Amino acid sequence: MLILASIMHLGKSALPKKPISDDDVDWLSLCIRVLNDRSPILQSIFTRACRQSLQDMIGTIDLTKLALSEAEKNIVKTDVDALINFSHILTNVNDGKAVDELELSLLQATEGSKKKESDVSTTALSKVYQLTGFSDPIYAEAYINVNQYDIVLDVLVVNQTPDTLQNLTLELATLGDLKLVDKPSPITLAGNDFCNTKAQVKVASTETGIIFGNIVYDVSGVSGDKSCVVLNDIHIDIMDYIVPASCTDTEFRKMWAEFEWENKVSVQSNITDMNQYLDHILTSTNMRCLTPKQALDGDCGFLAANLYAKSVFGEDALANISIEQLSDSGALSGHIRIRAKSQGMALSLGDKITHSQKKEAGA
């Protein structure tokens, strides 16, 4: 007890270069209280329960490392018997992608004309954005093809009038960390005709970006100012650039102390199960839970977990979930704290979580 008390006094004095933290003071005070009271319950907690918890934590860490190493070993970049596709026997199909004719014919022969029902959110239709209304003189919709560092917009333009439109130009602008690489060239569109035009946008960081613009054109045989159709905004989903990642507890605490941008989101959800809410957040943000499952087991009325993800640009994103279940209503209450090196990353993840909570509440 004398040694513990001396350590506390030394830490609070001006002699050490770094003063003692409040957590260490609380732990030392608890140890002094245990030695002073000598309660059998406290002795059992310190000598048995704490030791067992430490063993469980070490065993969980070892199992996690073993699972990660096994997963890395099982990744096969290229099989030894993988076929080589030669470009001379490839043909271009309607979507511009090269397809092996032999493989395509075998697939059609084996599957026939069978169609599988699929969710629209997981198909290419989820990437189609309507840019104008059906009653506008020009109807436009865009298919968003997201690559690693750029976005290709394949815009379908339909002339819904019998007039010939000249100098029809798709004018785009960006908001956020996006840059328009090439602008579509002007085209001439006959009456009730359609065409496709493409635009490429460069992505520099993981930040919520907006693409907006309009379509301007001249009507053949009509003098005057150019006609203009304003396009709907296209919001770029940052989830296309965020992937789950892993790090140690020491690295997580170090990054948590270094990152200066923090976004705090309140928990507002109809979900009453805490583990189910955690799974919902993991699915919505593409983050990985660093807290072991063994630490989340049980029903104690509160839950705390650390989440981590990394963007394709090398940006780190940290999150801490601290929620509790109210005893009177059973609803969840708490906060989600997000930390990142850049402000855009923290705000974008916070907006994504808020949007997912509203979407889940309205479902």
Side-chain angles (χ1 to χ4, degrees), residues 47-68:
T47 57
R48 297 179 183 178
C50 291
R51 184 183 295 274
Q52 184 63 36
S53 300
L54 179 60
Q55 292 178 355
D56 294 341
M57 184 185 69
I58 295 175
T60 303
I61 294 175
D62 294 339
L63 290 176
T64 304
K65 291 181 179 179
L66 181 61
L68 291 175

Side-chain angles (χ1 to χ4, degrees), residues 237 265 280 284 348-362:
D237 191 3
V265 181
H280 173 69
S284 304
S348 300
L349 274 176
D351 294 340
K352 186 65 179 179
I353 293 175
T354 303
H355 177 70
S356 66
Q357 290 187 139
K358 290 181 179 179
K359 185 177 180 181
E360 179 270 332

Side-chain angles (χ1 to χ4, degrees), residues 67-262:
L68 291 175
S69 61
E70 290 294 332
E72 292 178 355
K73 291 180 181 178
N74 294 332
I75 295 177
V76 179
K77 295 183 178 180
T78 304
D79 293 327
V80 294
D81 56 346
L83 300 179
I84 302 175
N85 291 326
F86 295 94
S87 59
H88 296 287
I89 61 174
L90 298 181
T91 180
N92 291 329
V93 292
N94 295 331
D95 57 357
K97 296 181 179 179
V99 177
D100 191 344
E101 290 182 345
L102 178 59
E103 183 179 354
L104 183 61
S105 61
L106 288 175
L107 184 63
Q108 292 176 350
T110 54
E111 292 189 356
S113 59
K114 181 177 62 176
K115 295 183 179 180
K116 296 181 179 180
E117 296 182 358
S118 58
D119 188 7
V120 177
S121 61
T122 60
T123 62
L125 294 177
S126 62
K127 298 295 183 180
V128 176
Y129 293 84
Q130 183 177 344
L131 302 181
T132 61
F134 294 108
S135 60
D136 290 326
I138 295 179
Y139 174 77
E141 64 181 20
Y143 171 71
I144 309 297
N145 185 15
V146 179
N147 296 320
Q148 189 170 6
Y149 297 107
D150 56 358
I151 302 172
V152 179
L153 279 74
D154 190 356
V155 183
L156 170 66
V157 181
V158 181
N159 183 8
Q160 302 191 115
T161 66
D163 302 323
T164 300
L165 306 181
Q166 297 177 341
N167 296 325
L168 189 146
T169 306
L170 177 64
E171 298 180 347
L172 297 176
T174 59
L175 182 64
D177 215 347
L178 303 176
K179 182 180 180 182
L180 188 63
V181 177
D182 54 349
K183 298 181 180 179
S185 57
I187 56 178
T188 300
L189 200 58
N192 299 318
D193 196 5
F194 67 92
C195 69
N196 285 77
T197 181
K198 292 186 178 182
Q200 187 174 1
V201 178
K202 209 73 175 177
V203 184
S205 66
T206 308
E207 185 177 343
T208 299
I210 300 176
I211 302 175
F212 59 96
N214 49 46
I215 296 178
V216 294
Y217 59 92
D218 294 325
V219 180
S220 179
V222 178
S223 61
D225 296 335
K226 286 179 175 288
S227 301
C228 178
V229 178
V230 180
L231 306 178
N232 295 328
D233 297 341
I234 299 176
H235 294 264
I236 304 302
D237 191 3
I238 65 169
M239 293 301 104
D240 295 326
Y241 304 100
I242 293 181
V243 294
S246 299
C247 67
T248 62
D249 294 339
T250 304
E251 293 173 345
F252 185 90
R253 287 192 294 267
K254 183 179 179 181
M255 288 187 290
W256 186 270
E258 291 177 352
F259 293 169
E260 55 183 359
W261 293 105
E262 180 175 326

Side-chain angles (χ1 to χ4, degrees), residues 291-334:
T291 305
K293 288 185 178 181
Q294 289 81 354
L296 302 176
D297 292 339
D299 187 11
C300 58
F302 66 91
L303 182 144
N306 294 330
L307 312 181
Y308 178 64
K310 206 166 187 177
S311 70
V312 296
F313 306 100
E315 300 171 316
D316 299 303
L318 312 176
N320 175 263
I321 297 181
S322 298
I323 54 178
E324 63 174 344
Q325 192 168 25
L326 302 179
S327 57
D328 51 354
S329 61
L332 299 181
S333 175

